[in-house]
Amino acid sequence: MQKNNIKAHVQELISKHSPKAVDLARDILEHPETGFREFRTAGLVHQFFDSLGLSHQDGLAITGTRADLVGAKKGPTVAIMGELDSLIVPGHPFADPNTEFAHACGHHTQIGSMLAAAAALADPDIRECLNGNIAFIAVPAEEYIELEYRQSLVKEGKLEFMGGKAELIKLGVFDDIDMAMLTHSSTNTAEGKIAYGSINNGAIAKEARFLGVQSHAGSAPHKGVNALQAAQVAFAAINANRETFQDSDSIRVHPIITHGGDVVNAVPSNVRLEMFVRGRTLEAIADADIKVERALKAGALAVGAKVELNTFAAYLPMSVNEDFFEIFRQNAEIVVGSDNVKKGSPRGSSTDMGDLTHLLPTIQPYATGCTGTVHGADFIVQDYQTAVVDPACSMALTVLDLLTEEAKGSQLVRNFHPILTKNAYLELQRGFNRHTIFDGAI
Ligand SMILES: [Zn+2]
Ligand SMILES: [Zn+2]
């Protein structure tokens, strides 16, 4: 089959198969599960892979799954990925009423796109044209949340890292992957229907436990040490440092209180915070982290409390692969027209796709079709053609360019110089883990 004919055939196959992939995405939307809890969601993906006759490995990093499609001839392996997990968003119209889990980052659309692409590319006519293989990987836990729950999984020995892709990298799931891509949702219609080439911040995650002394809040507050006041001083001290953050570093520090006290009639003695320190480079993150730690200790010092600090690896800053994006851009233009494909703007958010960009040619384009605020209660997918089907088609056509006779994929792999080896990556990630205790009473 001629290249243009193959592409036209894939577009027809995407149209034919996408309704069931969209139905599955809607099913996931209505049954959200947060990271490392996505058992039902993964089950839907398994069934879909089974319906395509694709063998798959399950239970990777608890809920991850990977199906492999072997092409007719030898060549590199390209991964199309989707993320399984939801957020927690009280008040979201599709939030689970019991857990408040909700898909407010559009990950359900990613799974729909990945499976629509799988359905088209698994067609025997297409498989016949492939010089290489495709792995479809449903990845757990992109959102770095619920740190206490995830630490319990680490303690049980079920995980080492608290993010999905880091754990899959460690397990060797990407060892034989030469290139990887995933299309993420976006509400930024100024970037057209599909945006390419955006960079994301990196991030580390921190947990602070302020420990004070509990006493009667009415009759004996003078005998207590108020851990909540310590946390409040820490917040103010973090804010006092914000003017030192430089715009070019795109620093974001955003703590939340996950436990603010136990009973209203006692001085709070156990207050827990979680926070990210994000930035454009690891150096900028490290600089901001010194200031954040100083501020957290200042809170403890002010009232004579103790603070236990845990720091964890979260995400590496995104590195952009221009050559890979160029191949994707050309195919996205076939699908949605050149007026609807735009260069994406830099983002203050972070993703573990940034980690993969350090190891292999990797892209994360964005697709719109959604309204509201990402991670907000009003984030809604309005147009599944734009959010699921068009990115599926753009990624499937990109695979054809990578794995057909022109061997653009092999060229991409040859020209890629990894920023880190897998071992250096794991060492870097492990190096972020730090536990410190500061006693403000001494
Ligand atoms: Zn998100
Ligand atoms: Zn997301």
Side-chain angles (χ1 to χ4, degrees):
M1 215 185 296
Q2 289 296 309
K3 181 74 163 294
N4 285 344
N5 294 343
I6 309 172
K7 286 197 171 178
H9 191 34
V10 163
Q11 284 178 286
E12 285 165 20
L13 288 165
I14 293 273
S15 299
K16 181 178 158 199
H17 293 293
S18 56
K20 56 184 190 251
V22 167
D23 285 349
L24 188 140
R26 288 182 191 275
D27 190 342
I28 296 172
L29 170 69
E30 288 170 8
H31 299 90
E33 296 170 303
T34 55
F36 300 122
R37 304 182 199 262
E38 316 98 322
F39 296 101
R40 183 185 183 279
T41 310
L44 293 175
V45 177
H46 301 162
Q47 285 169 22
F48 201 97
F49 285 153
D50 289 339
S51 74
L52 300 176
L54 295 175
S55 63
H56 47 97
Q57 297 168 265
D58 305 331
L60 304 167
I62 301 177
T63 49
T65 182
R66 167 180 167 168
D68 285 278
L69 194 161
V70 180
K73 295 191 192 130
K74 282 201 181 343
T77 299
V78 54
I80 295 181
M81 298 188 291
E83 291 158 349
L84 293 160
D85 59 324
S86 79
L87 279 160
I88 304 172
V89 187
H92 190 280
F94 290 96
D96 181 299
N98 299 315
T99 60
E100 295 179 327
F101 296 168
H103 275 286
C105 200
H107 293 186
H108 61 299
T109 66
Q110 295 179 21
I111 298 291
S113 293
M114 177 187 77
L115 294 177
L121 294 166
D123 186 275
D125 293 344
I126 305 302
R127 199 187 282 231
E128 201 50 43
C129 306
L130 297 178
N131 296 358
N133 313 311
I134 311 168
F136 301 98
I137 309 177
V139 182
E142 187 278 331
E143 305 288 357
Y144 205 95
I145 59 174
E146 298 187 291
L147 299 193
E148 288 191 32
Y149 165 63
R150 294 190 190 181
Q151 281 178 77
S152 73
L153 297 174
V154 171
K155 284 200 184 96
E156 289 168 34
K158 293 179 177 163
L159 296 172
E160 177 182 350
F161 297 107
M162 294 193 287
K165 293 187 194 68
E167 188 68 12
L168 291 182
I169 290 167
K170 185 203 73 177
L171 293 172
V173 174
F174 290 98
D175 284 1
D176 62 342
I177 302 293
D178 298 297
M179 296 156 276
M181 63 181 143
L182 169 161
T183 308
H184 197 286
S185 294
S186 166
T187 57
N188 187 358
T189 49
E191 294 179 345
K193 287 187 172 179
I194 292 180
Y196 64 93
S198 304
I199 50 169
N200 289 77
N201 269 343
I204 53 171
K206 298 183 80 69
E207 181 190 64
R209 293 168 187 247
F210 286 97
L211 302 170
V213 176
Q214 186 162 332
S215 64
H216 198 292
S219 64
H222 56 288
K223 290 188 176 169
V225 174
N226 193 318
L228 186 58
Q229 297 291 8
Q232 290 201 86
V233 172
F235 281 142
I238 289 170
N239 292 338
N241 278 281
R242 291 192 193 275
E243 66 182 9
T244 71
F245 300 151
Q246 302 195 59
D247 293 350
S248 57
D249 289 334
S250 185
I251 298 294
R252 306 276 191 277
V253 183
H254 41 92
I256 59 165
I257 297 178
T258 54
H259 186 83
D262 293 286
V263 289
V264 72
N265 57 2
V267 168
S269 62
N270 185 338
V271 169
R272 301 197 288 276
L273 315 182
E274 289 179 9
M275 70 207 77
F276 275 4
V277 181
R278 304 185 199 248
R280 196 65 80 213
T281 63
L282 292 180
E283 294 72 26
I285 294 169
D287 178 65
D289 186 34
I290 290 169
K291 295 166 183 171
V292 168
E293 289 235 345
R294 217 164 50 204
L296 293 165
K297 289 174 183 171
L301 184 63
V303 298
K306 194 187 270 188
V307 62
E308 289 183 11
L309 301 173
N310 288 308
T311 303
F312 308 102
Y315 312 98
L316 296 186
M318 179 79 77
S319 163
V320 170
N321 190 312
E322 305 279 2
D323 295 344
F324 197 169
F325 266 126
E326 178 55 22
I327 299 169
F328 176 83
R329 183 190 65 77
Q330 290 167 10
N331 287 293
E333 288 189 356
I334 294 172
V335 178
V336 297
S338 55
D339 289 350
N340 291 314
V341 181
K342 304 234 161 87
K343 179 98 180 5
S345 49
R347 282 154 161 84
S349 56
S350 318
T351 165
D352 50 12
M353 285 296 281
D355 297 35
L356 277 185
T357 63
H358 285 64
L359 303 174
L360 62 150
T362 302
I363 54 169
Q364 179 174 290
Y366 286 86
T368 53
C370 319
T371 54
T373 310
V374 178
H375 287 203
D378 60 350
F379 176 89
I380 299 289
V381 177
Q382 303 285 359
D383 170 6
Y384 278 81
Q385 175 70 33
T386 304
V388 172
V389 184
D390 292 343
C393 199
S394 304
M395 290 193 289
L397 298 187
T398 300
V399 167
L400 295 182
D401 275 351
L402 297 173
L403 300 187
T404 46
E405 73 284 358
E406 291 160 16
K408 284 189 185 170
S410 302
Q411 203 179 334
L412 205 59
V413 174
R414 262 199 315 277
N415 293 343
F416 181 75
H417 303 289
I419 302 169
L420 294 169
T421 62
K422 177 182 166 184
N423 283 341
Y425 166 76
L426 294 174
E427 207 173 301
L428 176 70
Q429 291 291 78
R430 287 172 182 138
F432 286 115
N433 292 336
R434 208 169 65 234
H435 177 72
T436 25
I437 298 176
F438 176 79
D439 191 343
I442 295 171

